[in-house]
Amino acid sequence: MEEKKIIEGKVLDVIDNFKVAINKGERDGVYIGQKFLIYYLSEDDMIDEDTGENLGKIEYVIGKGKVVHLQDKIATIQSFEKNTLGKKTIKKSNNIFAITTEETIIEPEDEFVSFEGCKKGFLVRSIT
């Protein structure tokens, strides 16, 4: 089984809260539908208090997106994660004059999670 190459790059432009352009494109092996993680790093390295070992920087995740437009050296990534607003609600009503019970299930609307706080220069990495 062939292992997929991890592609790393940076955010070139924040198009809107749900789309960003990155500095990797078709020539780098990026393809339509490919998924990317958008993140930035902590300023300081984290040190394990017990061992004194340098654990590196923390990755602060902004979101996940997939490639929706591809150019030779640039790709546009759009959020694909959905945030469920609220919980499923079941309303029951009993009809006094009949034996049957009626249930209505109301599904919450889904909304895409935004890349809120994303800035030019933030990092991206392909994910599976």
Side-chain angles (χ1 to χ4, degrees):
M1 187 170 160
E2 187 178 320
E3 220 175 287
K4 294 215 178 211
K5 175 184 155 191
I6 293 176
I7 298 170
E8 296 181 317
K10 290 187 177 182
V11 173
L12 287 174
D13 189 29
V14 178
I15 299 167
D16 60 35
N17 282 340
F18 303 95
K19 284 185 187 173
V20 298
I22 66 169
N23 67 345
K24 298 295 175 183
E26 193 167 22
R27 74 170 184 167
D28 302 296
V30 176
Y31 56 89
I32 295 288
Q34 188 172 18
K35 296 177 182 177
F36 281 84
L37 182 71
I38 302 171
Y39 64 101
Y40 65 97
L41 297 175
S42 62
E43 289 184 20
D44 299 323
D45 286 349
M46 299 294 115
I47 307 298
D48 186 304
E49 292 180 9
D50 295 330
T51 65
E53 179 183 5
N54 183 337
L55 303 175
K57 298 184 183 303
I58 296 175
E59 293 180 353
Y60 296 106
V61 176
I62 294 294
K64 296 176 186 172
K66 65 180 176 182
V67 176
V68 294
H69 182 71
L70 193 58
Q71 296 170 243
D72 189 40
K73 301 177 186 177
I74 299 171
T76 302
I77 298 174
Q78 180 174 312
S79 174
F80 69 84
E81 291 186 297
K82 288 193 173 186
N83 182 20
T84 303
L85 303 173
K87 297 180 179 178
K88 184 188 294 187
T89 304
I90 299 176
K91 292 183 177 179
K92 293 183 179 182
S93 62
N94 293 322
N95 187 334
I96 298 172
F97 302 105
I99 301 173
T100 60
T101 300
E102 183 181 315
E103 279 189 11
T104 305
I105 299 174
I106 301 171
E107 295 287 344
E109 292 183 35
D110 287 337
E111 182 179 278
F112 287 106
V113 177
S114 76
F115 298 141
E116 187 176 341
C118 189
K119 297 179 183 173
K120 290 180 184 181
F122 277 13
L123 303 172
V124 298
R125 178 176 61 235
S126 61
I127 54 176
T128 54

